Amino acid sequence: GQSLEQPSEVTAVEGAIVQINCTYQTSGFYGLSWYQQHDGGAPTFLSYNALDGLEETGRFSSFLSRSDSYGYLLLQELQMKDSASYFCAVRQTGANNLFFGTGTRLTVIP
Amino acid sequence: GAGVSQSPSNKVTEKGKDVELRCDPISGHTALYWYRQSLGQGLEFLIYFQGNSAPDKSGLPSDRFSAERTGGSVSTLTIQRTQQEDSAVYLCASSRGGLAGRDEQYFGPGTRLTVT
């Protein structure tokens, strides 16, 4: 089978940096994606890592290490609006769909 | 341009009734997905359409679930003889498709289904 494990909840202070980890057990996959979902809202795409290393998009960065079966999303200069759930996801080789992780609920406090 | 739209936004139905959920994808997107999300949970894949190819139904939980996509655009997800465990938010997503790796999916607002 396959699994993508994330911490269920993370709390961080406004202006700080937070890292959300994603550890996976899966066979070959194309890359690791991250999606953000506010309460009652639709998931929205944040980033994608096809290769090992760090990808930076503004305040958000994402990292992948295939050798360690591990990735993370890094959020800098946290804002209250960053309070949301964050999901990692992979598309397995030969599959059509994304397989989503368990999700991490981030709460940003003043 | 317009994003993915879904209707209805909320649906309350009695156990045993049939329901139809509709999805209008982004114009030009060839790939369309249906997912299900239970409260506080991740997204569970249901079905995938790509162009005129046969759909990938591998995620459908039972034969009570079916979906079609007419003209390569609008899709309808039908749940027959609804059960209480079908209660969830049903999300539709579309993408440009054809990309093995990065295939950014655009999600609709979802339909919240409650089976009483």
Side-chain angles (χ1 to χ4, degrees):
Chain A
Q2 58 182 340
S3 68
L4 293 170
E5 296 297 326
Q6 303 177 235
S8 58
E9 296 182 345
V10 172
T11 300
V13 178
E14 188 177 15
I17 299 172
V18 71
Q19 178 174 312
I20 298 174
N21 297 325
C22 173
T23 56
Y24 58 86
Q25 290 185 342
T26 183
S27 54
F29 65 97
Y30 296 111
L32 185 70
S33 300
W34 287 91
Y35 283 77
Q36 178 192 60
Q37 185 180 30
H38 287 98
D39 284 349
T44 57
F45 173 83
L46 288 178
S47 69
Y48 175 75
N49 291 71
L51 304 174
D52 284 6
L54 193 67
E55 292 284 340
E56 298 181 70
T57 308
R59 294 188 298 114
F60 294 0
S61 302
S62 57
F63 174 83
L64 174 63
S65 170
R66 290 177 184 265
S67 60
D68 295 323
S69 299
Y70 166 73
Y72 65 73
L73 179 69
L74 192 73
L75 295 83
Q76 303 181 71
E77 301 172 15
L78 279 173
Q79 302 176 8
M80 300 299 290
K81 67 178 182 180
D82 296 331
S83 292
S85 292
Y86 294 83
F87 295 90
C88 58
V90 297
R91 180 195 297 268
Q92 278 195 303
T93 307
N96 295 308
N97 59 289
L98 284 174
F99 178 79
F100 284 83
T102 52
T104 298
R105 185 177 183 86
L106 171 65
T107 301
V108 181
I109 59 175
Chain B
V4 178
S5 62
Q6 293 185 244
S7 61
S9 56
N10 281 284
K11 176 71 176 178
V12 180
T13 189
E14 292 180 353
K15 176 182 174 180
K17 300 286 189 182
D18 299 351
V19 295
E20 284 190 354
L21 313 179
R22 177 189 168 101
C23 171
D24 281 272
I26 292 173
S27 177
H29 279 189
T30 59
L32 186 147
Y33 307 79
W34 283 97
Y35 293 89
R36 179 169 70 174
Q37 185 174 33
S38 300
L39 186 64
Q41 301 298 310
L43 282 75
E44 174 190 6
F45 167 70
L46 296 176
I47 189 169
Y48 161 81
F49 296 90
Q50 171 61 52
N52 295 319
S53 301
D56 176 355
K57 305 179 183 179
S58 60
L60 295 179
S62 78
D63 58 8
R64 297 186 294 105
F65 288 72
S66 63
E68 63 178 19
R69 188 179 185 191
T70 54
S73 181
V74 171
S75 177
T76 302
L77 177 69
T78 301
I79 308 174
Q80 295 179 309
R81 306 181 302 282
T82 52
Q83 303 295 313
Q84 289 187 330
E85 60 262 30
D86 299 334
S87 295
V89 176
Y90 288 81
L91 291 160
C92 174
S94 71
S95 73
R96 293 182 179 85
L99 300 175
R102 178 181 181 133
D103 187 22
E104 182 179 338
Q105 295 186 16
Y106 296 80
F107 283 82
T111 294
R112 181 175 299 276
L113 175 66
T114 303
V115 181
T116 62

